[in-house]
């Protein structure tokens, strides 16, 4: 069966510091991968998605970036965090062809101080 | 542009009564409509979905209906229980991604 991992689970970082969040999927090949952000008490904002290695689509212009160095690895990065980057970051995956069901990872709760 | 509207933002129902959450979407090419339930501090969990080739789907106390002409779809929860309290998100497919509504916070009152 498929499993999705995210780490770290929680993170407290000062403004201006860099960020690296990692997501990996097991048990499937060539998944679609997604990064979402959820501010406290708010909805799910799609940040990036990827349909293959090295292919990244950005939904919201901001100080974040994403990379997909391997088939089942998706990384979210920032060179300098802003206070507004605080939130719950969720990675999700879906099968590339024939179905759109998305399954979420456990999330990373980021607090920028 | 791509948009999914969800109403209401908050819903309180007496335990045992029914709850209905409604969504509309803008892209007529959308063909997949999932619903997610998110408990406090947890990840969203897929609870039911419907595709554009059917008008209704039911799974125990949960049902979804889809009106493609009107671009409306709804979630119905019958015989609500305390564990149904959560935030519910509707979504619609757009090419390789899914666009989510802003969520409905459902409170089940004792």
């Amino acid at each position: 069966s498929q499993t999705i991992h995210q780490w770290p689970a929680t993170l407290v970082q000062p403004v201006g510091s860099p960020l690296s969040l990692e997501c990996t999927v097991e048990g499937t090949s060539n998944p679609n991968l997604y990064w979402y952000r959820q501010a406290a008490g708010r909805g799910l904002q799609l940040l990036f998605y990827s349909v293959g290695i090295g292919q990244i689509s950005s939904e919201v212009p901001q100080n974040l970036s994403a990379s997909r160095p391997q088939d089942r690895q998706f990384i979210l990065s920032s060179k300098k965090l802003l206070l507004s980057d605080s939130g719950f970051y969720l990675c999700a995956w879906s099968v590339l062809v024939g179905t759109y069901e998305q399954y979420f990872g456990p999330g990373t709760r980021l607090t920028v101080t | 542009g791509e948009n999914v509207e969800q109403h209401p933002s908050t819903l309180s129902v007496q335990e045992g009564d029914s709850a209905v959450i409604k969504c509309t979407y803008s892209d007529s090419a959308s063909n997949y409509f999932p619903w997610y339930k998110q408990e406090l501090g947890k990840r969203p969990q897929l609870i039911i979905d419907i595709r554009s080739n059917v008008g209704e789907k039911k799974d125990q106390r949960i049902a979804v209906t889809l009106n493609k002409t009107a671009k409306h779809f709804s979630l119905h929860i019958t015989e609500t229980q305390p564990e149904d309290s959560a935030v519910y998100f509707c979504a619609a497919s757009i090419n390789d991604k899914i666009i989510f509504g802003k969520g409905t916070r459902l409170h089940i009152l004792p």
Side-chain angles (χ1 to χ4, degrees):
Chain A
S1 64
Q2 299 85 4
T3 308
I4 180 168
H5 303 279
Q6 281 187 250
W7 63 89
T10 60
L11 192 58
V12 180
Q13 291 283 97
V15 168
S17 64
L19 173 74
S20 181
L21 303 181
E22 190 164 342
C23 170
T24 59
V25 181
E26 296 177 354
T28 187
S29 296
N30 200 23
N32 280 349
L33 295 172
Y34 308 83
W35 277 113
Y36 292 88
R37 177 170 62 198
Q38 188 174 34
R42 304 291 295 276
L44 295 158
Q45 180 187 30
L46 179 62
L47 302 175
F48 302 94
Y49 69 98
S50 171
V51 299
I53 296 175
Q55 300 179 60
I56 308 294
S57 296
S58 174
E59 289 296 300
V60 183
Q62 54 202 332
N63 67 319
L64 299 173
S65 63
S67 62
R68 185 170 177 173
Q70 299 180 42
D71 180 43
R72 291 169 288 176
Q73 184 184 30
F74 206 22
I75 297 172
L76 182 70
S77 303
S78 174
K79 292 182 180 178
K80 287 186 177 182
L81 284 168
L82 306 173
L83 282 174
S84 57
D85 290 325
S86 293
F88 192 39
Y89 286 80
L90 290 155
C91 181
W93 74 273
S94 68
V95 175
L96 180 60
V97 176
T99 180
Y100 290 98
E101 289 95 340
Q102 279 190 20
Y103 298 97
F104 287 88
T108 294
R109 192 163 301 281
L110 172 66
T111 303
V112 182
T113 60
Chain B
E2 306 156 347
N3 195 33
V4 176
E5 297 284 342
Q6 183 171 349
H7 301 280
S9 57
T10 305
L11 178 61
S12 296
V13 300
Q14 212 68 40
E15 183 179 346
D17 288 350
S18 295
V20 180
I21 302 170
K22 299 183 179 182
C23 291
T24 61
Y25 60 99
S26 59
D27 192 333
S28 56
S30 295
N31 59 6
Y32 174 66
F33 307 90
W35 287 86
Y36 287 81
K37 175 183 179 183
Q38 187 178 29
E39 297 177 349
L40 190 63
K42 302 286 184 63
R43 75 184 88 181
Q45 299 273 12
L46 179 66
I47 56 172
I48 195 168
D49 54 20
I50 190 168
R51 299 186 186 277
S52 58
N53 57 346
V54 298
E56 185 173 357
K57 182 176 179 180
K58 190 173 181 180
D59 182 4
Q60 298 182 357
R61 297 186 296 108
I62 295 174
V64 291
T65 59
L66 172 65
N67 182 330
K68 283 218 74 178
T69 303
K71 297 182 190 172
H72 290 172
F73 58 115
S74 301
L75 176 72
H76 305 252
I77 306 174
T78 59
E79 301 173 13
T80 53
Q81 301 171 2
E83 55 264 36
D84 295 330
S85 292
V87 178
Y88 291 81
F89 293 95
C90 65
S93 64
I94 308 286
N95 299 321
D96 290 317
K97 57 190 179 183
I98 289 176
I99 302 299
F100 286 83
K102 293 190 182 301
T104 296
R105 186 171 298 276
L106 176 63
H107 298 278
I108 305 301
L109 306 173

